[in-house]
Amino acid sequence: MENHSGPILLLVTDNFLRSAQCMVNGREFMQDNRDAVLPIVADGVRQDESRNAYAVPTQFERISDIIQYINYWQDQYLDLRRQKRELEDEIDEETFSDHLRSVRAISGETSEFLRLLRNTEHVTYEELEETDYEMIFRFIGDINGWEKLKKARASRVMDRVPAEAVEAASNRNSEPMDDEPPVDIQDIPGMDMLPDDPEEEIEDDGDLVPDETEEEIVSDTSYQIEEEVEEIEEEIEEHILVEDDIPAESSSGPEEIHQNGAVYATEEEEEEEDEEEELVSALDPNYILENLHDWVSGGQTEKAIAELQNALQQHPEHLAMRYQLAHLLVQHEDDFSEARSQLATLLKYDSKHTGALFLSGELSEIEEDFDEAVGFYQDVAAIDSKFPEVHYRLGLILAHQFEDTQDHAMMEFRQAIAQHPENADAHYQYAMLLNEHQKALDAAAIEFMETLRLQPNHPFAYYDLAILYHTQGNLEKAQEAYLKAKALNPEVETPENDLAFGLTAPAEPEPVAEEPVERIAVEPKSQNGVVEEHIKENQEAAITTPASPENTVEMETTEATMEKSNSELIIERDALAALKENIFRLEEMIKARDEEQEKLKQQRPGNGKTVMVTGATSGIGKATAEIFARNGFRVIITGRRSDRLDAIEKGLQDEFHTDVHSLNFDVRQVEAVENAINQLPEDWKNIDILINNAGKAKGLDPIHQGRLEHWEEMIDTNIKGLLYLTRAVSPYMVARQQGQIINVCSTAGKEVYPNGNVYCATKHAVDALTKAMRLDLHSYNIRIGQVAPAHVEETEFAEVRFDGDKERGAKVYEGFQPLTSVDVAEAIYFMATRPTHVNIQDVVMLGTQQASSTVIDRSGR
């Protein structure tokens, strides 16, 4: 199906899920075609000892159902390995090994395949029959075909109804049935595969036989209703009854007997079953891999590692779990030795596991075994030439750790750039090789400029460009690039550099003492061939020309000029040499600093967690974004003013070295909110903390004088905006069973004050919504809370309330010390960083001099 484009109907049975021919590459197929596949689930077929066929339900909704298939394939793999050892001399080695590899791959991918299948919209064969295959026709976009099929099947059923039943039905109907024209069903896809008689059944050998219990259509509708009620009652009983194989007696106590004789499980038996199911779930690879991200992002890395280790004792050949364990040991524990052990075990099972090979290469790099690292990376590239970063990593090692491998390094960087054109450092490294190794200055300049386009604040690209332009003799461009380099990286500013790029004048040479004319014949020290030739010519002229007074003066002047020119060239040459010598020193300093910053970044409490702050362009929102960024959180900031967002995003990234993503939209526009959240990159969609900060007050008028546009703006922002964001983000939290929402309320949500009518009403709504959200979401392990501050300085609150009147807004805070935006941000951060079992639901904050909205001590700060 690799080259098939269009809808795919996938018939899944128990036999399918136990067939290597069907399951090989199943996970990859489902991942690549998930949106184009409609799985149809039907019963499988097995045979008993007498070779009589019987139906086997195909189920994968419960974890216990999935486990049976995981165990089946792991048993198959172990059995095949045993056979290979025992029958080594009797089998076709190559063919058997290929089959063994396929089964091994299936055993590692079964849980993921079934998870994808379970999460893909699917339909049972019985449901298709009951709806005349409606789901299929809708899936392929042929509703007309479905209508034709329904009519055709109805027509064929009516042909078999006895004449007296038809007559009785027509007598009961007050309106005669319209005669419908005959339907041409030959053009309906798949009609030739349907039985001529819908009441016929298919035996195991595929032959059609009449149904032995064929019945006439009964017109008594009361009988049909009674039959449906009985079916519903049977379904309810089946749902609550224990399966028939529960023994009549139980060691845990007597069973409960219903008056109709049915056997029920006792409470103790149910608890035991629940505990057994929980134990199985805890060791199930599918369960562990599904929850791994939540454990790690929730700060439970030790639990994640322990769960993986326990599960691997039961499933030692589960490659995905072993790889994840190695990755966690490296990233969070710095336990390289144990990680290498896990990777070595994994590679024994699958020597071509690219993830394990690449991680092994990274460990070798860390341990500075560069020969081994190159070997691992080359293995990865040979298996999958498009594996992320493999060519880039090879290029770095070959360029900086080995001699005479620059040409190979350039080839690797070219492949890295072709694979990932946005990799700024790949362009930079390639430019360095073009410049220093190949002396292709024009090509190098182009790559340096591309580096700066992708990373405008690159610490060295402008500096390298400056040297390149100087080498080409373009002093104006060289000076311009050097100035930009200094602005980005002050460490490149040295007296030698300033001199070389013309920012300072060379020192005046020492006065030349009068010496006999014969001294002119001394060999010049300049390395510049043109200057040397010029000096020699003047020396010869001095020797052959009589030393008249005029000639002596001219000769002395020429000598002084030449010595001055020679001195300047020597200074310039030394300055350029110093530039190049300093590059390596500066690079080492920057590298060491970056490594230290990265180490500190990994240790920060917010590492790996994502927080979204609305209304982050000023005040509380901006201060909140800063405190989370400072502590290593990945921060999504939102606001209406794109210029401010861009500046804040860059500022947070530069100052705190964390990932920041800005979203420019108005919370009052529901479509804009939905689009912004839906279009987030995949790695930003798992928002751990949502801070609904966006809000405002407009006007301070009594209710009979209030402006409608002010009311609407406050209601749309303070209430609807909060609701829109919560509705867009919370489903992701519910799906992950994890998250936190903090609403920024106000003391105006706790009390009212004169002329604050509508603003107070909106904040009372926030208070009520916070309580209601807590009730709705607590069962999903989602924490809900709010902070309700009084007057807060360092915000635009009062200025916005009075339509930009800064003077009037400033008077609100005269004579007392209110809260600051940082005070509120610190309270929010405290709420967000409590242990996961702690939920702070409400924080009310006032300045010491403010007792309520209207009672304030304005005696001075």
Side-chain angles (χ1 to χ4, degrees), residues 124 131 154 206 232 275 279 285 292 306 372 378 485 551 639 711 779 789 804 826:
T124 66
T131 60
I232 293 171
E275 289 175 1
L279 180 61
L292 201 59
E372 187 178 67
Q378 287 179 335
N551 287 337
W711 295 356
S779 61
E826 288 177 343

Side-chain angles (χ1 to χ4, degrees), residues 76-91:
Q76 288 288 303
Y77 176 59
L78 294 174
D79 189 50
L80 284 172
R81 289 187 64 197
R82 179 184 55 75
Q83 290 181 38
K84 185 178 181 181
R85 289 194 297 269
E86 295 176 354
L87 306 175
E88 187 174 0
D89 299 329
E90 303 175 24
I91 59 175

